[in-house]
Amino acid sequence: MTQFSEIPSDLKVYFNGGFIDWKDATVHVMTHALHYGSAVFEGIRCYKTPKGPAVFRLKEHVDRLFNSAKMYRMLPNLSREEFIKAILETIKINSFDECYVRPIIFRGTGAFGVNPLDNTIEYAICCWKWGKYLGEEALEKGVSVQVSSWNRIAPNTMPALAKCAANYANSQLMKMEAVKNGYTEGIALDVSGYVSEGSGENIFIVRGQTLITPPLGSSVLPGITRDTVIALARASGYEVIEGLIPREMLYIADEVFFTGTAAEITPIAFIDQIQIGEGRRGPVAKHLQENFFAVINLERKDTHGWLTFV
Ligand code: PPE
């Protein structure tokens, strides 16, 4: 969480094709997205590297954004390439050496009612510094989480593959329940009772030399960090399976960790107060974190072209 008071008020926001001041980046209370959740968004990190700021997997994020928009029939009137350019310009104009980037496409005003088709399709890009998502010590010590009493959205209710604002009503219920119960995060099961994902992260379990992560059919967001970790793990010789995970497999795993743009690779030390492995970051999570940050620090060759320099 970032408090608004921590965000410098002189930031510029890209809004519908031009830059405006942070304080002017507002919408009308009759905005469709506010009433009906009709917004799709992304979360992207721009990292400080020895050769200047670089955005991690920018193309994949913009592709997912446009895929989300396509599912909701709300493609904006600019191309993916133009959107990529606008993101880079937003980082540049705010002189960030590192930041979190939040692009959003939403239904605005023009008509009122559930039918969104007569509303404007608007877009904005904000950047600010977002620190460690699950706490300063999380990457090293791991976090304590619970299995949520809320299930992830069922197939064919709302598209889980879309990063739609509406999906985050479910995430909020999970997160509030976890925090109120004294945990850092919740893990949702899917509608069949198999492990799905966290409120804002994908999940992996480690058993021996094998990593298992829920398949896309378990109502998970197709995470870009998930994809990154799969590639890094395979390159290191681990077997990676996208397979159904029964809840109880969490408790007996050697390691469990979350992946996400904000969370990066965050080990899970306890689930429902049952210690996972040694109850701290395990060797596989550590190895993957080192590999991940080696790409960002330019210590490891970016063979996949994951970095776009600003
Ligand atoms: N599942 C969900 C539900 C999710 O929100 C995210 C990202 C992921 C998986 C991981 O996806 P990826 O970032 O592509 O590896 N959550 C974003 C928003 C978090 C927020 O609190 O807001 C993020 O990590 O930026």
Side-chain angles (χ1 to χ4, degrees):
M1 230 174 11
T2 310
Q3 302 296 332
F4 265 41
S5 57
E6 298 165 42
I7 300 178
S9 54
D10 59 352
L11 286 185
K12 299 276 182 224
V13 173
Y14 188 81
F15 200 6
N16 293 335
F19 286 102
I20 57 171
D21 290 338
W22 197 83
K23 64 171 179 11
D24 299 327
T26 56
V27 294
H28 197 276
V29 290
M30 293 290 270
T31 293
H32 195 274
L34 188 58
H35 294 257
Y36 304 115
S38 47
V40 294
F41 68 95
E42 272 305 314
I44 310 174
R45 272 196 196 268
C46 171
Y47 285 100
K48 185 176 175 173
T49 84
K51 287 190 186 159
V55 185
F56 192 69
R57 305 202 67 175
L58 177 56
K59 182 184 178 297
E60 291 85 346
H61 279 285
V62 171
D63 280 343
R64 189 173 65 188
L65 179 68
F66 275 66
N67 287 342
S68 299
K70 187 177 185 187
M71 289 181 223
Y72 280 97
R73 306 172 198 267
M74 54 188 290
L75 283 167
N77 63 357
L78 79 173
S79 68
R80 293 176 190 217
E81 292 68 33
E82 285 166 330
F83 212 98
I84 285 174
K85 226 178 117 221
I87 289 173
L88 294 169
E89 276 171 12
T90 310
I91 299 167
K92 218 182 286 177
I93 203 168
N94 286 298
S95 309
F96 278 119
D97 53 356
E98 60 182 347
C99 61
Y100 183 83
V101 185
R102 170 55 55 88
I104 186 164
I105 301 172
F106 62 96
R107 300 275 191 180
T109 50
F112 200 82
V114 168
N115 177 359
L117 295 172
D118 286 339
N119 288 89
T120 54
I121 296 169
E122 309 197 23
Y123 50 90
I125 304 165
C126 296
C127 301
W128 73 97
K129 291 218 180 190
W130 199 353
K132 296 298 171 206
Y133 189 61
L134 297 175
E136 275 306 318
E137 295 187 321
L139 294 198
E140 217 185 299
K141 296 221 161 128
V143 290
S144 173
V145 307
Q146 68 166 154
V147 172
S148 184
S149 72
W150 295 100
N151 284 36
R152 206 68 181 127
I153 49 178
N156 210 32
T157 55
M158 297 195 295
L161 299 191
K163 198 170 170 66
C164 178
N167 296 7
Y168 288 82
N170 175 254
S171 289
Q172 291 175 57
L173 292 168
M174 289 168 63
K175 187 76 178 189
M176 287 190 288
E177 179 190 48
V179 169
K180 288 287 180 194
N181 287 338
Y183 299 101
T184 304
E185 182 56 290
I187 299 170
L189 306 179
D190 69 13
V191 74
S192 307
Y194 294 104
V195 174
S196 177
E197 63 178 351
S199 76
E201 312 87 359
N202 292 113
I203 194 166
F204 284 78
I205 71 169
V206 181
R207 285 169 75 88
Q209 295 299 298
T210 304
L211 277 68
I212 313 171
T213 194
L216 297 186
S218 281
S219 300
V220 303
L221 186 75
I224 289 159
T225 321
R226 174 184 182 274
D227 182 70
T228 303
V229 162
I230 291 174
L232 291 174
R234 287 193 175 138
S236 294
Y238 295 105
E239 185 189 7
V240 184
I241 299 169
E242 292 176 60
L244 295 178
I245 302 176
R247 171 178 182 165
E248 60 273 26
M249 217 190 249
L250 293 169
Y251 304 126
I252 58 170
D254 298 333
E255 296 182 35
V256 184
F257 56 85
F258 283 132
T259 65
T261 298
E264 296 167 323
I265 299 168
T266 299
I268 297 174
F270 292 88
I271 303 175
D272 297 331
Q273 301 184 39
I274 297 176
Q275 180 176 307
I276 307 306
E278 299 293 314
R280 55 185 144 83
R281 177 176 63 187
V284 177
K286 182 164 187 278
H287 175 82
L288 292 167
Q289 284 177 343
E290 284 165 359
N291 277 256
F292 180 77
F293 289 112
V295 174
I296 288 153
N297 297 329
L298 312 182
E299 287 155 10
R300 184 191 162 108
K301 201 160 180 284
D302 178 20
T303 48
H304 298 91
W306 284 340
L307 297 174
T308 304
F309 287 90
V310 181

